[in-house]
Amino acid sequence: MKTPQPANADTFLPYMPDVARCELSLRELNQMWQLIESSAKMNCPAEARLLLPAMVATRTGFAQLERALIANLVQEKVRHVLADLGTQARYAIDILVRNLFERTADVGFLATDVDLCRFVAGVDVGDGALQAARRRLSDYRDKYTVYDEILLLDLDGRVLVQADPATPVAHSRDPLLAETLAASGYVETFRATDLRPGKPRALVYSHRMRHPDSGEPAGVLCLCFNFEQEMDAIFAAYRDPSHRANMLLLDAQDRVISSADPLWIPAGVKVPTNVDGLPQLLMFGGREYLVRTFRSDGYQGYPGPPGWKGQLMMPIDLAFRGSGGDALGGADPRLIEGLLSHAQAFSPTLHELMDAVTRTTRTIERIVWNGKVTSAANDQADGHAHQNGNVNKLNTVLDQITETGARSDDIFSRSIQDLYQTVLAASISEAELTSQLLVDMLDRNLYERANDCRWWALTAQLRNGLAHPSPAQTAAMGEVLAYINSLYTVYARLFVYDRAGRVVASTGDDAGIGAQIDGATLGRVCALRGELDHYPEPFAPSALYGGEPTFIYHAAIRHPEQTSTVVGGIGIVFDSRPELLNMLHSGVAGRSNMEAFFITPERRILSCTDPAYAPGDTLELDAGLLAAADSADGASVSRIMAHGGQYVIAACTRASGYREFRSGANVDIEQPVLSVLIESFGPVRDNSALSAPPARIERHSDTGPDFAIFHAGRALMALKAACIQEAVPFAKVQRAAGNNPARLGMLDVPLAGGKKHFVWVFDLALLATGKPGVVTDNSQVMLVRLGDSTIGLLVDDLHSVQRFDAADMTESPLGSGDSALAPRLIKANRGDLLIQEIDIERLFARLRA
């Protein structure tokens, strides 16, 4: 698989006004960071000297993050549009090729029709024979409505009979006749032909016909596919509903065969293609386009017409209009947060950006926290609160850093949310379209099955064999069924049964001759009113399919002379297991995190790609999703939800029919089916594993000492700010093994003159609570002083620097005894929040002991 190439941001950014606005806001913030840095250097250089290196690194990091964010916003938006175009192009050509495969089988079977062969060979002559042949072709076209004309020609090209008298053809000189007579199978022709006068082109499937007695070539059968009607249906089903893109069918030379909007891009013109899906702009007619092109992989060994491709073309100036939307759809925020926690799996780029923003935000918080600690220490050393001008200036700079950091975090968070929306929108759009494709593919397939059983019930050998049974007639029926089954490979078995329901002829390894059709099915078949009626058995296990569940379609076989008399029936056993799986796998297209299902409205599984389920099982799925799909009139519905212990996007579509299938009088004959697409993103998180918002501490006092607040052992703790030098990321600690479990390693602290001083780092949570702390990306080390001694303390995270007076203090019920490290509690937020105050002297005494 080729690695996707990144989109050039400079190429696409002018067409993305929302991303351009984001870029402008980020550049303004970068300038603000430069102003803050300059202000700190000029107004309080001594107090800010420890902060300036971190501020410079933060500003530089934001600049790099800005470039990465903009590049990835552009990349994902382009990828989303190309993915949508590609999905539509792939499905359009696949649907067409599957349809044309059925035509190759149709022409092969109809060319052996005994009645038509006798007529073409001149065995049956006269007006009666002509009218019978014309009626037979009309009957065929009534069942297979995909054909707009059927013709029979003799060896010299003379038209003997045609189904459509509105466009009379007397003779043809088309070379396809000679080619067909020389071929052993079907011939596929697409171009202008005198067989279809007045049409600029026709898609014709032709096959030679043989004399029923001698076997010599006697003529040619031509089935003319209603190509324009079929392409209009495909365009209507799979073209972008906003009509911002044009859907095309191309030939091997990249010329347009058919266009969804011929006034925009007409047939016959050559267009640029993009088979590899590269994020590039292609020029056509003086306008730049995003283009996606797909070739078919073929179906059942049939490759489709040589070189045909499906293509979508979208003008770049329209590509990103209205493409945002709310992909999250009002989902539960905890569900969204859980899904986002798996960003590394479904979007590594998004995950890296989220991590980078989080690290930068943490750096800003640490800069401010360290600055507040420094300010508090200087303030206390001065001995006159709020009278040190440089301290006030430093606090002003810190407030600016806090405000600008919050603005930066907000802009980056909103931009990442937009990026997240884009990533999810691509998945949702693809799931919905795939779900729609699957039921469309199923309906088109079952449409053919309903046609086949009705037409084959009219086969002369089958009607005569049941009306006048004999060993020879039975053998002839078996030969006909075997020939049909060799052409129509989607069937596991074809069988014929008599009026009593006994199978008298069948294909398959275990022929099943002598088996009995159940009485209910036999009664339904014998009650069918005419040749246009059929009966589909409900999807269920059948002995005629090895005990596995399948679709079986039936039609009544009538007496050749007394057409009102039913003499038996034909059943065709769809090879459901591989055929349904083939449809589902074509939709999933190898994506390991996506599963597809065909189910009934009662959630009973007909087929699925998930090995954890089998046909007949019940799919445990949100009933609301199925109800929404049931009332959506064939449109796809989707939701973000938890399913099977995973965060998923689920899309569902109810089968709504194809042509006359599931429509009109046939709407209630077929079993209702829904398709379900489930794309998984990762296991559902325990709520405790998801981040909780930090506790907010209200301002309490303008007097009293400053306290540095932090998280340790999942509790809020505090130390007097005057005891703290600064905080650094735990990643800088050099681990060291030893006998003391609370001693984690060493940290080098720079001194004047470039010298280094190593201090030990201890686990504060273990010392204070007896339970070891958990090192995460947020873990910090506070450098704490007492006299001439300095140590490092591992804490979970930093919180803030706050001022509390004696009225805010109370004795801790857990702090009795000289060994307790937190003998006092700070009552914050009017006593609603309690913070453990660590006694620095007791802490050092514990460590010395």
Side-chain angles (χ1 to χ4, degrees):
M1 181 180 294
K2 295 183 179 179
T3 302
Q5 294 188 11
N8 187 321
D10 292 338
T11 300
F12 295 99
L13 191 57
Y15 304 101
M16 301 177 180
D18 53 339
V19 181
R21 287 192 296 270
C22 175
E23 183 187 39
L24 180 60
S25 298
L26 292 172
R27 287 182 177 175
E28 290 174 351
L29 280 174
N30 188 271
Q31 294 173 352
M32 182 64 73
W33 283 112
Q34 290 177 325
L35 287 174
I36 293 172
E37 184 184 327
S38 300
S39 175
K41 286 179 181 178
M42 291 186 295
N43 296 319
C44 48
E47 290 76 6
R49 69 184 185 281
L50 294 177
L51 306 181
L52 285 173
M55 289 176 62
V56 172
T58 300
R59 175 174 56 81
T60 304
F62 264 129
Q64 294 172 345
L65 196 55
E66 171 203 327
R67 291 190 293 271
L69 177 61
I70 297 303
N72 281 285
L73 279 169
V74 171
Q75 171 80 9
E76 286 299 331
K77 286 179 177 290
V78 172
R79 189 190 68 81
H80 173 27
V81 172
L82 285 175
D84 255 6
L85 298 180
T87 299
Q88 296 170 55
R90 179 164 67 89
Y91 290 168
I93 190 64
D94 281 352
I95 282 287
L96 179 62
V97 168
R98 283 172 176 263
N99 193 322
L100 299 186
F101 161 76
E102 300 284 352
R103 314 293 64 91
T104 66
D106 287 350
V107 73
F109 174 65
L110 191 59
T112 63
D113 184 273
V114 173
D115 293 337
L116 296 180
C117 287
R118 289 175 60 86
F119 174 76
V120 169
V123 176
D124 294 336
V125 295
D127 289 342
L130 176 62
Q131 294 305 319
R134 179 174 290 118
R135 185 168 56 252
R136 190 151 182 80
L137 296 185
S138 297
D139 288 345
Y140 189 83
R141 196 176 62 166
D142 288 344
K143 294 173 179 62
Y144 296 87
T145 55
V146 295
Y147 299 114
D148 59 3
E149 177 65 293
I150 307 173
L151 306 100
L152 301 181
L153 300 93
D154 64 16
L155 297 176
D156 297 323
R158 185 169 62 94
V159 176
L160 302 176
V161 65
Q162 62 185 111
D164 183 10
T167 55
V169 180
H171 191 276
S172 174
R173 292 183 172 82
D174 196 305
L176 77 83
L177 300 177
E179 183 183 355
T180 303
L181 289 170
S184 58
Y186 72 90
V187 172
E188 186 177 60
T189 305
F190 182 69
R191 52 173 168 74
T193 172
D194 59 7
L195 292 167
R196 299 297 286 142
K199 282 199 166 191
R201 63 197 178 176
L203 181 55
V204 180
Y205 290 86
S206 55
H207 202 290
R208 69 183 177 190
M209 304 178 72
R210 297 181 179 274
H211 194 287
D213 300 324
S214 68
E216 293 297 317
V220 172
L221 164 69
C222 294
L223 295 180
C224 301
F225 183 62
N226 198 337
F227 179 75
E228 281 73 18
Q229 186 186 69
E230 178 62 18
M231 291 310 303
D232 287 345
I234 290 175
F235 292 151
Y238 296 109
R239 185 188 178 189
D240 170 28
S242 69
H243 289 192
R244 291 177 299 151
N246 200 0
M247 179 177 278
L248 309 169
L249 178 66
L250 309 181
D251 64 14
Q253 288 74 44
D254 300 335
R255 294 192 179 277
V256 176
I257 298 172
S258 193
S259 171
D261 190 341
L263 294 179
W264 180 359
I265 303 178
V269 301
K270 188 170 185 177
V271 293
T273 60
N274 185 13
V275 176
D276 295 326
L278 300 177
Q280 61 186 353
L281 293 181
L282 299 176
M283 182 72 72
F284 173 74
R287 200 174 186 185
E288 290 183 308
Y289 288 82
L290 280 171
V291 177
R292 198 67 177 92
T293 316
F294 264 93
R295 301 185 182 96
S296 173
D297 293 330
Y299 178 63
Q300 297 280 352
Y302 169 68
W308 282 21
K309 300 176 285 288
Q311 176 158 303
L312 267 289
M313 297 179 65
M314 180 177 284
I316 185 60
D317 52 304
L318 301 179
F320 306 106
R321 288 189 185 177
S323 58
D326 184 10
L328 303 182
D332 183 345
R334 299 295 285 180
L335 194 68
I336 295 169
E337 185 181 358
L339 183 56
L340 186 57
S341 71
H342 291 288
Q344 186 173 18
F346 67 84
S347 179
T349 299
L350 176 59
H351 175 73
E352 290 171 8
L353 280 171
M354 290 166 55
D355 272 0
V357 170
T358 300
R359 288 194 302 271
T360 306
T361 301
R362 295 289 181 187
T363 300
I364 295 171
E365 291 172 349
R366 186 170 59 251
I367 290 173
V368 173
W369 194 88
N370 284 336
K372 293 287 186 181
V373 166
T374 301
S375 174
N378 291 340
D379 202 11
Q380 181 173 339
D382 183 71
H384 302 283
H386 308 297
Q387 294 180 15
N388 187 330
N390 285 343
V391 169
N392 288 337
K393 290 176 182 178
L394 176 60
N395 282 329
T396 300
V397 170
L398 293 174
D399 290 341
Q400 289 177 335
I401 292 175
T402 300
E403 180 184 347
T404 307
R407 285 183 58 197
S408 299
D409 185 61
D410 179 63
I411 291 177
F412 274 102
S413 296
R414 283 188 282 112
S415 300
I416 287 178
Q417 183 82 345
D418 185 37
L419 182 58
Y420 186 39
Q421 291 268 5
T422 303
V423 171
L424 284 182
S427 294
I428 290 171
S429 175
E430 188 167 26
E432 289 182 348
L433 191 57
T434 301
S435 175
Q436 180 185 349
L437 164 87
L438 290 176
V439 289
D440 189 17
M441 195 180 295
L442 178 66
D443 275 354
R444 286 166 171 267
N445 202 307
L446 297 183
Y447 159 85
E448 302 288 349
R449 311 296 65 92
N451 291 344
D452 289 347
C453 72
R454 293 182 300 159
W455 177 251
W456 297 339
L458 301 181
T459 304
Q461 294 95 320
L462 303 184
R463 298 174 72 174
N464 289 327
L466 290 179
H468 310 291
S470 70
Q473 294 279 24
T474 300
M477 287 194 293
E479 291 174 1
V480 169
L481 294 181
Y483 177 67
I484 297 174
N485 214 162
S486 70
L487 294 173
Y488 294 83
T489 53
V490 298
Y491 295 111
R493 182 191 302 275
L494 309 178
F495 61 96
V496 169
Y497 47 93
D498 61 20
R499 189 65 173 79
R502 188 177 68 89
V503 175
V504 296
S506 175
T507 63
D509 295 335
D510 175 16
I513 295 174
Q516 192 70 31
I517 304 302
D518 72 88
T521 298
L522 182 63
R524 294 291 297 270
V525 173
C526 292
L528 293 174
R529 291 172 297 178
E531 296 176 355
L532 294 179
D533 298 312
H534 71 283
Y535 170 64
E537 287 189 49
F539 189 88
S542 172
L544 293 168
Y545 193 53
E548 294 187 53
T550 188
F551 291 104
I552 301 180
Y553 277 75
H554 295 261
I557 298 177
R558 301 176 185 276
H559 196 285
E561 291 88 28
Q562 305 165 17
T563 55
S564 61
T565 301
V566 174
V567 292
I570 182 172
I572 56 178
V573 181
F574 187 52
D575 198 1
S576 293
R577 179 168 36 81
E579 293 301 322
L580 294 181
L581 269 177
N582 177 283
M583 296 180 209
L584 294 174
H585 279 300
S586 72
V588 171
R591 287 164 288 188
S592 59
N593 63 330
M594 182 179 283
E595 303 293 349
F597 302 79
F598 284 130
I599 64 172
T600 67
E602 298 75 32
R603 296 180 293 174
R604 187 164 57 90
I605 295 173
L606 308 183
S607 181
C608 68
T609 59
D610 190 340
Y613 294 93
D617 291 349
T618 298
L619 177 63
E620 297 300 332
L621 193 67
D622 181 5
L625 178 68
L626 299 183
D630 214 26
S631 59
D633 195 25
S636 296
V637 296
S638 61
R639 288 186 183 174
I640 297 172
M641 62 175 67
H643 169 77
Q646 295 272 322
Y647 295 109
V648 305
I649 288 174
C652 184
T653 312
R654 181 180 175 123
S656 57
Y658 171 66
R659 293 181 178 267
E660 65 274 10
F661 187 78
R662 292 192 200 276
S663 66
N666 298 319
V667 69
D668 295 324
I669 294 177
E670 305 297 331
Q671 182 174 8
V673 178
L674 299 96
S675 67
V676 175
L677 257 291
I678 298 177
E679 184 175 7
S680 302
F681 293 91
V684 172
R685 305 287 195 194
D686 186 335
N687 283 341
S688 62
L690 298 176
S691 60
R696 183 177 180 84
I697 298 177
E698 300 172 3
R699 181 171 176 173
H700 276 252
S701 174
D702 289 331
T703 62
D706 287 292
F707 287 86
I709 316 294
F710 50 87
H711 297 271
R714 295 203 171 195
L716 267 182
M717 298 183 182
L719 270 169
K720 288 183 179 178
C723 302
I724 298 176
Q725 178 178 327
E726 66 172 323
V728 297
F730 180 80
K732 294 185 176 182
V733 174
Q734 301 176 36
R735 296 289 194 128
N739 295 328
N740 185 348
R743 193 165 63 188
L744 302 175
M746 293 183 294
L747 183 69
D748 61 306
V749 180
L751 300 175
K755 296 181 180 180
K756 291 186 177 181
H757 171 60
F758 285 92
V759 301
W760 287 108
V761 177
F762 297 90
D763 184 347
L764 179 58
L766 182 59
L767 294 170
T769 68
K771 296 180 180 180
V774 178
V775 176
T776 69
D777 292 340
N778 298 331
S779 297
Q780 307 286 329
V781 174
M782 298 188 308
L783 295 174
V784 180
R785 300 184 299 260
L786 181 64
D788 294 330
S789 300
T790 303
I791 62 171
L793 295 177
L794 166 68
V795 298
D796 298 338
D797 203 356
L798 306 176
H799 190 283
S800 60
V801 177
Q802 304 282 344
R803 183 166 287 177
F804 298 97
D805 58 24
D808 298 316
M809 304 298 180
T810 186
E811 295 296 319
S812 171
L814 302 177
S816 59
D818 294 340
S819 61
L821 296 185
R824 291 175 300 279
L825 297 176
I826 300 172
K827 298 180 294 181
N829 298 355
R830 297 176 298 279
D832 292 336
L833 180 66
L834 298 177
I835 305 170
Q836 302 176 46
E837 183 198 350
I838 300 297
D839 188 303
I840 188 69
E841 293 182 352
R842 290 190 180 190
L843 175 63
F844 271 78
R846 168 83 65 84
L847 294 175
R848 291 191 184 104

